[in-house]
Amino acid sequence: MALKKTKKVISKVEILDLGDTALLINFQEHTQALHQIHQLCEALFTRSPPWLLDAIPGIDTLLVSLRFQDFQYALIRSTARAEINELLANILGDKEFIAAKDSVHRIRVCYDPALAPDLLASAEKCKLTVREFINRHKNSEITVDILGFMPGFAYCSGLDPSLKLPRLEKPRTGVPPGSVAIAELQTAIYPKTTPGGWNIIGRSPDLLFDPLKERPSLLHAGDRVQFIEIDIDQFKKIQAEESLNTSQHIKKYDSQKGAIEVISSGLLTTIQALPRYGLARLALSAGGPMDKEGARLANALVGNSEQAAGLEITGTGPKLLFHLDTWVAWVGSYCAAQIDGEVILGNRPVFIRQGQTLSFGKITQGYRIFLAFSGGIESEFILGGCGSHLSAGIGDKQVQKGDILYLPKLLRETPMLKKLKQEHRTHPKWSVASPSLSGKNIQLIKAIPSMHLNVLNTKEQASLWKTVWTVSSQSNRMGMRLDGNFSISAPITGIASQGIWFGTVQLPPSGQPILMMAEHATTGGYPRLVETIESERSKLAQLRPGDKIQFVPITLEEADQINAVFFGEQKVTVSNIKAVLEAKS
C-alpha cells in the first residue's frame, strides 16, 4: 500500500514527537525541503543548545535527538520546539538567506564489467547500449542529498531519468567497497564492504570515508559529484597506490603502562566507551556500549569516570592474563567468572594480581557484560571517542587471541579499595544490581506507537501488539531482527528516507521487523511502527537469539514517568557507589 500524503499549508512545518527521545521536523511537500532541512541542521549545530544531542537529515524530514537533564522531559521538549520554530521562521521567511558554497568532487569510476556485475543487465533493462548507459551515468549532474545507511554513503540525485532501475530482487550479501550503484533514480558509492541491493554499474578506487581525517566523509550534503571514467588498468594502479598510502597504526609496548594479554577472545569481545553523539548527519550512529547504564555502573565500581573504555563481552567471555595488579568490575548478565579457577561473582570491585587469569564462561542469563578496569583501557581517540564502532570500521576491531590491552599503572586507589587490600581481601561482601536482567519467558518491551503505525489497518495494529516475537540469530550491534507470526495485507511504500534512532522498529518488505540497536544505520526508508523507550535499552542489550519479546504500548507521558524512575535509580546507585568507595571506614 502507498503511504498517503496529508495536505499541508506549505509555509507551515510540523514538529512531531518521535518516541520519547526525539522530535521529527516534517518538511513534506515543501518545494525547497532538502535545502531547508540542511539549513536547519547547520543552524542547530552552530547554535549548539544544551538540549541538542544529535540530528539526522532525511529527504523531507529532520530528526532531532534530545538531551534530557534532571528528568525535565516536557520542559526540554517545549524549549526545543520554541528554539526550532525560531530558526524555522528565519529559514522559511528570509528570502535572502545565502547557502554555503557547494563543493565539487571528481570521483574516478571504472565501468569495466569485471568490476560491474550489473552493468550489462542494467543497460539492457534501460534499452541502451553499454556505451550509451555509461555516458549517461557519467554525464549526469549529480548532487549529494543526504548521508545515510553507513558512514560515507551518499544518496545522490540528478541521475539521467533513462537510467532508473529497481533494486535487486535478492540483495547481495557482500558489495565490494567503491562499488558505484543505482537504485530507482538515485546513485551512490558503497564506502566499504556491506550487504546491498543496488545495481552495481562501476567501481571507484577513491576513499570515501576515513575516520582519521579532520573531514572524515569525502562527500557532504549539497556537494556536487562528477564521475570521471577510468579503465581497469588505471583502477588497479590507483588502488595499489591508495593501499600503500593507507596509514598503518602499530601499537608499541610502553613500559610505563601495564598490560593484559588475551588468551582467548570469547564469542564477541570489543573495546567500548561512551557513544559518539553529534556525527549522525555524517551517517555515523553513536555506537558505544549496548548497555550504557551497565557500563556506567562498572566504571563507577573501580573509581573510573564514565568516559573510561572497557570490554563489552557478548555470549561467551574471554580469558585474560594480567601483567599488572589492578581492580576490575563487571556488570550485566550472569556468568560464572573465575580467577585462577576460583569462581567469583561480579557487580562489585575485584582485585586481580599480576600473573593471575580472569576467565568468563558461557553467559547463562542475559547476553552481555561490561568489564571495567581501573584507569580504563588505552584506546585511540577517534572522532570524539575511544571505543570501537564495528559497522563503521572505527577503532580496534573485535578483540582477538594474542591481543595486548594496555592500562595505566595502578592509579589512585579510593580509601575503601585501599582498605580491602590492606586486609588482604580481593572484593567487598556487597554488590550492586544490574540495570536489567532477563528472568521471564517473554520480555515485555515498552514502546510508543510511531508515525507509520496508523497506516496498518486496525486488525494489523492489534496483531503487532499481540505478537510474541523471537530474537533472530541474524541480530548484532546494528539491529535486532524479529521473527513472528505477523503479516500485513500489502507492503507499505512511498516513504522517503528519514532519520532512525536506537529503539526504532522498522518493517521491511520481508515482514521481519528490525529493531535498531547501538550501531544502527542512521537513515531508512521502511515504515517505522514503534519506538521503544530509552529505559528499555539495558533490557534490549541482554536479549539473545531465541529470546522472546512482546511490545507493550504506552503514551509519551507514561514513558517520561518510567524513564524518570529508572534513570533516577541508576543515578542514586552511582552516587552511593562513589560515596562508599570514598568512605574511610
Side-chain angles (χ1 to χ4, degrees):
M1 70 188 79
L3 190 68
K4 294 180 180 179
K5 295 184 178 180
T6 57
K7 293 182 179 180
K8 300 182 181 67
V9 178
I10 295 301
S11 61
K12 185 70 174 176
V13 173
E14 284 186 306
I15 302 178
L16 309 171
D17 289 315
L18 191 64
D20 58 326
T21 60
L23 300 174
L24 192 75
I25 297 89
N26 190 357
F27 290 80
Q28 189 180 10
E29 296 186 5
H30 276 246
T31 55
Q32 297 295 320
L34 199 56
H35 184 58
Q36 293 164 344
I37 286 166
H38 292 305
Q39 286 181 334
L40 178 57
C41 186
E42 185 65 29
L44 283 170
F45 279 101
T46 298
R47 179 176 288 195
S48 190
W51 48 261
L52 178 64
L53 185 63
D54 218 327
I56 309 175
I59 296 298
D60 56 15
T61 58
L62 178 68
L63 183 151
V64 177
S65 179
L66 304 175
R67 177 185 283 111
F68 296 105
Q69 297 174 340
D70 300 322
F71 315 123
Q72 295 180 319
Y73 300 108
L75 176 61
I76 288 173
R77 288 192 194 97
S78 176
T79 301
R81 283 174 181 271
E83 291 195 46
I84 290 170
N85 274 320
E86 178 188 337
L87 292 171
L88 282 171
N90 294 330
I91 291 170
L92 300 176
D94 188 355
K95 304 294 184 181
E96 298 181 359
F97 189 92
I98 300 174
K101 189 175 181 180
D102 299 333
S103 300
V104 179
H105 301 277
R106 294 163 61 87
I107 303 295
R108 296 167 290 189
V109 181
C110 176
Y111 293 97
D112 193 292
L115 302 176
D118 300 319
L119 177 63
L120 301 183
S122 296
E124 185 177 349
K125 288 177 184 177
C126 295
K127 298 181 180 179
L128 299 170
T129 67
V130 172
R131 175 42 55 189
E132 287 173 333
F133 186 95
I134 293 171
N135 287 342
R136 294 190 187 194
H137 183 263
K138 71 179 186 180
N139 293 327
S140 296
E141 296 183 359
I142 301 300
T143 301
V144 177
D145 288 341
I146 60 172
L147 298 181
F149 182 51
M150 62 166 46
F153 189 97
Y155 291 86
C156 300
S157 61
L159 192 66
D160 188 302
S162 66
L163 303 186
K164 184 176 181 179
L165 289 165
R167 286 175 169 82
L168 299 175
E169 290 185 7
K170 185 178 181 181
R172 289 183 171 87
T173 56
V175 176
S179 292
V180 180
I182 294 175
E184 301 301 331
L185 274 177
Q186 288 186 311
T187 189
I189 309 169
Y190 285 83
K192 60 176 290 190
T193 302
T194 181
W198 290 32
N199 302 273
I200 302 173
I201 53 93
R203 184 94 65 85
S204 173
D206 296 327
L207 186 63
L208 297 177
F209 184 80
D210 185 349
L212 300 179
K213 289 185 177 180
E214 184 176 349
R215 177 182 162 126
S217 181
L218 176 65
L219 304 178
H220 283 223
D223 289 353
R224 289 180 289 143
V225 176
Q226 293 179 353
F227 293 120
I228 308 301
E229 185 176 1
I230 59 174
D231 61 33
I232 195 165
D233 291 333
Q234 291 173 303
F235 174 86
K236 291 178 179 178
K237 181 181 178 181
I238 296 168
Q239 193 176 50
E241 291 171 351
E242 290 289 340
S243 183
L244 287 174
N245 292 334
T246 302
S247 49
Q248 300 294 327
H249 296 269
I250 302 173
K251 294 181 180 179
K252 295 182 179 179
Y253 179 74
D254 186 339
S255 61
Q256 299 304 309
K257 298 173 183 175
I260 298 171
E261 183 178 351
V262 180
I263 305 302
S264 61
S265 60
L267 177 65
L268 175 64
T269 303
T270 60
I271 296 174
Q272 294 298 334
L274 281 183
R276 293 175 172 87
Y277 293 117
L279 296 169
R281 66 192 187 281
L282 300 182
L284 178 63
S285 54
M290 293 279 272
D291 182 359
K292 190 169 64 173
E293 298 309 310
R296 184 176 281 116
L297 288 181
N299 273 318
L301 286 167
V302 292
N304 288 344
S305 72
E306 64 177 15
Q307 289 90 357
L311 292 181
E312 181 178 88
I313 298 166
T314 303
T316 302
K319 182 176 182 179
L320 307 173
L321 172 61
F322 287 71
H323 295 286
L324 80 167
D325 293 350
T326 193
W327 289 93
V328 302
W330 57 94
V331 173
S333 57
Y334 178 78
C335 179
Q338 296 183 353
I339 297 178
D340 288 347
E342 180 181 349
V343 175
I344 188 165
L345 300 179
N347 293 51
R348 69 192 78 200
V350 176
F351 185 67
I352 298 184
R353 294 184 175 83
Q354 181 177 350
Q356 289 188 314
T357 59
L358 171 64
S359 58
F360 295 87
K362 186 176 181 180
I363 294 174
T364 56
Q365 186 181 1
Y367 199 43
R368 290 182 175 88
I369 292 169
F370 190 89
L371 173 61
F373 305 83
S374 181
I377 296 174
E378 296 279 325
S379 185
E380 191 171 9
F381 192 79
I382 302 173
L383 293 179
C386 55
S388 300
H389 196 299
L390 299 183
S391 65
I394 294 175
D396 295 294
K397 307 297 183 187
Q398 178 179 347
V399 172
Q400 301 287 349
K401 177 181 179 181
D403 284 354
I404 302 295
L405 308 175
Y406 294 107
L407 305 178
K409 292 236 174 156
L410 195 57
L411 305 175
R412 171 191 173 268
E413 288 180 307
T414 65
M416 192 210 77
L417 297 181
K418 187 179 293 186
K419 186 172 185 293
L420 286 173
K421 279 178 62 178
Q422 291 171 348
E423 296 173 354
H424 304 289
R425 294 165 58 195
T426 59
H427 56 275
K429 295 179 181 179
W430 55 263
S431 64
V432 300
S434 293
S436 181
L437 200 55
S438 172
K440 300 178 181 178
N441 292 332
I442 299 175
Q443 286 289 301
L444 301 179
I445 306 297
K446 301 175 189 68
I448 298 173
S450 199
M451 60 186 302
H452 300 132
L453 182 64
N454 61 3
V455 179
L456 304 183
N457 62 42
T458 304
K459 184 178 179 181
E460 290 168 342
Q461 291 184 42
S463 176
L464 174 76
W465 297 114
K466 291 178 181 178
T467 297
V468 174
W469 305 95
T470 302
V471 178
S472 168
S473 59
Q474 297 180 355
S475 302
N476 52 31
R477 283 180 51 84
M478 288 185 69
M480 182 184 296
R481 291 185 180 272
L482 303 174
D483 296 322
N485 186 22
F486 174 78
S487 62
I488 59 177
S489 56
I492 302 170
T493 59
I495 299 173
S497 289
Q498 57 183 225
I500 53 179
W501 199 246
F502 195 151
T504 298
V505 178
Q506 288 192 301
L507 184 66
S510 66
Q512 184 184 36
I514 304 174
L515 198 164
M516 299 298 117
M517 301 298 279
E519 293 185 4
H520 59 87
T522 54
T523 60
Y526 299 136
R528 57 197 320 152
L529 301 183
V530 302
E531 310 283 340
T532 61
I533 68 172
E534 187 177 14
S535 54
E536 295 288 57
R537 293 179 187 175
S538 290
K539 189 185 296 184
L540 293 172
Q542 296 303 337
L543 294 174
R544 60 194 305 133
D547 282 354
K548 298 186 182 302
I549 68 170
Q550 185 175 7
F551 295 116
V552 177
I554 62 172
T555 65
L556 179 58
E557 292 71 24
E558 289 171 330
D560 288 347
Q561 295 171 5
I562 293 167
N563 287 336
V565 171
F566 176 82
F567 291 114
E569 290 175 349
Q570 297 305 307
K571 186 175 181 180
V572 168
T573 301
V574 170
S575 296
N576 289 341
I577 290 171
K578 291 179 179 179
V580 170
L581 291 183
E582 293 298 332
K584 296 182 180 180
S585 60

